[in-house]
Amino acid sequence: MTFTKLPKAISAEELLSTPLPPVKWIIPGLLPAGLALFAGPSKAGKSWLTLWLCLQIAQGNPVWNREIEPRTVIYFSLEDTFNRLQNRIFQLIDGGDAPERLILQTECQSIGQGLEEQIVDFVHNYPDTGLVVIDTLQKVRSCDQSGSMYASDYKDVSALKSLADKYGICILLIHHLRKQAASDPFDQISGSNGLMGAADTTWVMQRKRTSKNADIILTGRDLDRRTLYL
């Protein structure tokens, strides 16, 4: 049988005989390289949890009993000031050392207007980069979102996914939930299905504001749906 190759086409026989690298995990079993979306209610602790994750990964400390390989992390904390970040880090490290591998920025460009170039420059300067966090997604989206919401959401997120795939890093987008309840927690993610459709991994936090407990429901292309009870 004659097989004419198309761009990025491969036969099943050739695919099965081709050695391929395993999935690269930033947090084993929970957060692989690629484009990830972390959505939760407003003021529910997403940024605190995200900053703690950045510290753990930059230091190579365990995350939820999972061993972590230390990697350089850049955290675009776009709704905070350096003063607030300083106070939070002091509380989170509780007298310990702050990692040099964690880089913090409170400003950046928007998608399609320089953000991609900023990330590429950072990765070139820090080749061991494993995680790029953008808190929040809405802060890096342009005001001009003409056309359908799905197309706009998918286009923006896909631009960042291409970077994550090219450089073997995880780009984690912090996002919000709608106030309306839904039987499927993932249907509460603000915006269209284009966001989750383009993302490789999706986390949804559920937490009552006064509660000390939270659930994170996870799903993705490289992991089965599961729930973390924190």
Side-chain angles (χ1 to χ4, degrees):
M1 178 178 178
T2 302
F3 175 67
T4 303
K5 280 194 174 183
L6 299 173
K8 292 193 175 180
I10 188 172
S11 71
E13 180 184 26
E14 186 180 356
L15 177 61
L16 292 180
S17 62
T18 302
L20 296 172
V23 174
K24 179 180 177 181
W25 293 97
I26 308 303
I27 303 174
L30 301 179
L31 187 64
L35 196 285
L37 187 67
F38 178 22
S42 178
K43 304 296 187 294
K46 294 189 305 297
S47 293
W48 275 95
L49 179 58
T50 300
L51 181 57
W52 176 77
L53 286 172
C54 289
L55 287 163
Q56 298 297 99
I57 293 167
Q59 291 174 312
N61 291 334
V63 174
W64 301 316
N65 298 318
R66 290 165 168 83
E67 294 300 318
I68 300 295
E69 180 182 340
R71 306 177 192 273
T72 292
V73 177
I74 182 167
Y75 181 23
F76 292 102
S77 186
L78 306 177
E79 294 184 337
D80 288 315
T81 62
F82 284 128
N83 182 279
R84 187 177 301 128
L85 288 169
Q86 183 188 67
N87 290 334
R88 288 181 176 180
I89 290 173
F90 272 132
Q91 293 183 63
L92 288 169
I93 64 175
D94 192 24
D97 295 328
E100 292 184 0
R101 281 191 172 96
L102 175 55
I103 311 298
L104 303 150
Q105 285 193 218
T106 57
E107 295 180 358
C108 69
Q109 303 299 319
S110 298
I111 298 170
Q113 298 178 5
L115 175 60
E116 294 93 321
E117 290 77 8
Q118 279 185 277
I119 294 173
V120 170
D121 286 345
F122 186 85
V123 172
H124 285 164
N125 288 325
Y126 298 90
D128 67 333
T129 297
L131 179 63
V132 175
V133 177
I134 299 173
D135 187 358
T136 63
L137 170 60
Q138 196 58 39
K139 284 284 190 177
V140 297
R141 303 192 70 186
S142 63
C143 296
D144 180 18
Q145 296 178 19
S146 56
S148 75
M149 181 183 291
Y150 182 96
S152 178
D153 287 347
Y154 196 91
K155 178 182 177 182
D156 282 351
V157 175
S158 293
L160 298 177
K161 172 175 165 51
S162 296
L163 281 183
D165 291 343
K166 180 177 180 179
Y167 292 100
I169 60 175
C170 176
I171 298 180
L172 177 62
L173 307 176
I174 311 304
H175 194 45
H176 299 295
L177 296 180
R178 299 188 185 101
K179 292 184 179 179
Q180 300 94 327
S183 57
D184 186 338
F186 296 102
D187 288 338
Q188 290 184 272
I189 297 172
S190 181
S192 74
N193 291 334
L195 295 177
M196 187 174 172
D200 297 298
T201 306
T202 305
W203 294 10
V204 169
M205 172 190 275
Q206 294 185 317
R207 174 179 176 256
K208 294 181 180 179
R209 196 164 298 174
T210 57
S211 174
K212 294 182 179 180
N213 302 318
D215 298 341
I216 297 182
I217 305 166
L218 307 89
T219 192
R221 297 187 173 103
D222 296 307
L223 65 154
D224 297 327
R225 180 165 172 163
R226 67 191 65 179
T227 302
L228 292 175
Y229 301 98
L230 308 181

